């Protein structure tokens, strides 16, 4: 009589062997722990038979399969029954898509550089420095410029984050750097 050995951890089919006769009862066969005389079904290369205590079930067996999720996250299947999620790639993307956090960080850096460049046109180190003059009454020209830069900075960030929220929600695609800057409020020096 054939017996079929299965894993104590996963219950998957491991091997088959001939059962030994019981020396005390020659008409009876010995079936050791983690074995059964129930014949397993035929499985493909990406399946395995798993014993449920009374019968065999065919389960997907993709262990070792690597796949990539959106934004380039690499995963490896390690358990029987796991499958590749819908939309996942079975080969590494040539250039992983940026994560939402990476997209936002890149766009924020572009906007920050844009505002710093605008302040440098008026001989300030950056937008932050220009805004510090908003509350400085000693030189009225610098105070007016500082107030203009501070108001503009607030409007720019409000517009930038509204655009990024639309991108995150899927309401729009990711704008190019030039498109993003074109949608932001323009700086106008008073006077």
């Amino acid at each position: 009589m054939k017996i079929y050995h299965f894993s104590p951890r996963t219950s998957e089919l491991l091997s088959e062997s001939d059962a030994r006769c019981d020396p005390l009862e020659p008409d009876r066969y010995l079936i050791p722990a983690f074995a059964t005389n129930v014949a397993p079904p035929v499985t493909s290369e990406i399946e395995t038979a798993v014993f449920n205590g009374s019968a065999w079930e065919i389960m997907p067996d993709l262990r070792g399969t690597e796949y990539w999720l959106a934004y380039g996250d690499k995963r490896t299947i390690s358990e029987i029954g796991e499958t590749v999620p819908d939309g996942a790639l079975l080969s590494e993307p040539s250039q992983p898509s940026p994560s939402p956090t990476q997209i936002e960080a890149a766009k924020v850096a572009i906007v920050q550089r844009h505002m710093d460049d605008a302040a440098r046109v008026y001989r300030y180190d950056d937008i932050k420095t220009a805004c510090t003059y908003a509350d400085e009454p000693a030189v009225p020209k610098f105070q007016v410029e500082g107030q203009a830069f501070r108001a503009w900075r607030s409007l720019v960030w409000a517009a930038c984050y509204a655009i990024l929220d639309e991108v995150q929600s899927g309401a729009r695609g990711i704008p190019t750097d030039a498109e993003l800057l074109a949608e932001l409020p323009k700086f106008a020096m008073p006077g």
Side-chain angles (χ1 to χ4, degrees), residues 114-172:
H114 170 68
M115 289 190 296
D116 289 342
D117 290 345
R120 287 187 191 102
V121 168
Y122 292 91
R123 298 184 178 163
Y124 294 99
D125 293 334
D126 52 28
I127 189 72
K128 181 179 172 184
T129 303
C131 291
T132 64
Y133 285 90
D135 296 322
E136 176 54 59
V139 178
K141 173 189 180 309
F142 292 149
Q143 186 177 29
V144 168
E145 289 177 358
Q147 290 170 345
F149 276 114
R150 186 169 65 186
W152 178 63
R153 179 181 66 180
S154 295
L155 294 171
V156 166
W157 283 127
C160 173
Y161 286 116
I163 292 166
L164 292 175
D165 287 345
E166 289 178 359
V167 170
Q168 292 271 359
S169 71
R172 66 176 290 170

Side-chain angles (χ1 to χ4, degrees), residues 48-112:
T48 192
V50 175
F51 194 66
N52 68 15
S54 59
W56 292 96
E57 297 176 16
I58 296 176
M59 300 285 289
D61 187 7
L62 301 173
R63 289 175 289 182
T65 301
E66 295 177 338
Y67 62 91
W68 286 260
L69 298 173
Y71 311 118
D73 293 342
K74 179 182 175 184
R75 303 286 169 87
T76 303
I77 293 177
S78 60
E79 298 292 329
I80 295 170
E82 278 187 74
T83 58
V84 176
D86 290 341
L89 303 172
L90 292 176
S91 60
E92 184 172 12
S94 57
Q95 187 173 20
S97 300
S99 71
T101 302
Q102 292 169 323
I103 293 166
E104 182 168 318
K107 297 305 179 184
V108 164
I110 293 296
V111 170
Q112 183 67 53

Side-chain angles (χ1 to χ4, degrees), residues 16-33:
E16 68 177 59
S17 65
D18 291 320
R20 287 193 246 158
C21 290
D22 185 334
L24 301 175
E25 297 179 44
D27 293 340
R28 189 169 161 226
Y29 291 95
L30 297 175
I31 300 176

